[in-house]
Amino acid sequence: MKQNLSLDDTCVLIAGERQEEIYCCSLSISLGAYHKYGEKGLKPDVILAVQELEYTGEEILEFEGIRYAVTHVYKRDDGLVELTGTKKAGLNNANR
């Protein structure tokens, strides 16, 4: 059963030139997630929960000044989605 989360942090969803700051909650990355992503050659660097209605398919997110590629989206039963972000070369060199 999923616990109720408090969206006390902020992150930025990025799609092309559009950037939207929204509320989020940083989640712990489980050992299982590391193994699952490792099999695909990926490393989950951050998992954020955001309101489902605010996520519209953006492929880049920024959290605490670091940009991540959205590599997995998981829809929860409580109206939130979990966005898994992975650091990718070149994302943090983008003009801001």
Side-chain angles (χ1 to χ4, degrees), residues 38-50:
E39 291 173 357
K40 298 176 183 178
L42 299 172
K43 178 182 176 244
D45 293 303
V46 67
I47 299 177
L48 302 177
V50 302

Side-chain angles (χ1 to χ4, degrees), residues 2-33:
K2 301 283 183 190
Q3 61 197 27
N4 287 335
L5 299 177
S6 180
L7 304 178
D8 294 333
D9 293 318
T10 59
C11 66
V12 179
L13 298 178
I14 302 166
E17 296 295 318
R18 186 177 62 81
Q19 298 185 17
E20 183 175 357
E21 185 174 16
I22 63 170
Y23 288 102
C24 65
C25 176
S26 178
L27 303 175
S28 298
I29 302 172
S30 70
L31 186 58

Side-chain angles (χ1 to χ4, degrees), residues 20-93:
E20 183 175 357
E21 185 174 16
I22 63 170
Y23 288 102
C24 65
C25 176
S26 178
L27 303 175
S28 298
I29 302 172
S30 70
L31 186 58
Y34 274 110
H35 289 295
K36 178 176 141 184
Y37 281 88
E39 291 173 357
K40 298 176 183 178
L42 299 172
K43 178 182 176 244
D45 293 303
V46 67
I47 299 177
L48 302 177
V50 302
Q51 289 290 335
E52 182 178 355
L53 295 175
E54 293 185 310
Y55 178 69
T56 58
E58 292 84 355
E59 296 180 357
I60 299 172
L61 65 87
E62 184 175 314
F63 181 65
E64 296 181 340
I66 300 172
R67 288 187 178 189
Y68 303 90
V70 176
T71 54
H72 183 71
V73 178
Y74 171 72
K75 184 178 173 184
R76 297 165 47 115
D77 294 331
D78 58 2
L80 301 175
V81 292
E82 294 179 11
L83 305 177
T84 301
T86 302
K87 290 180 186 175
K88 297 265 177 136
L91 284 181
N92 287 302
N93 295 330

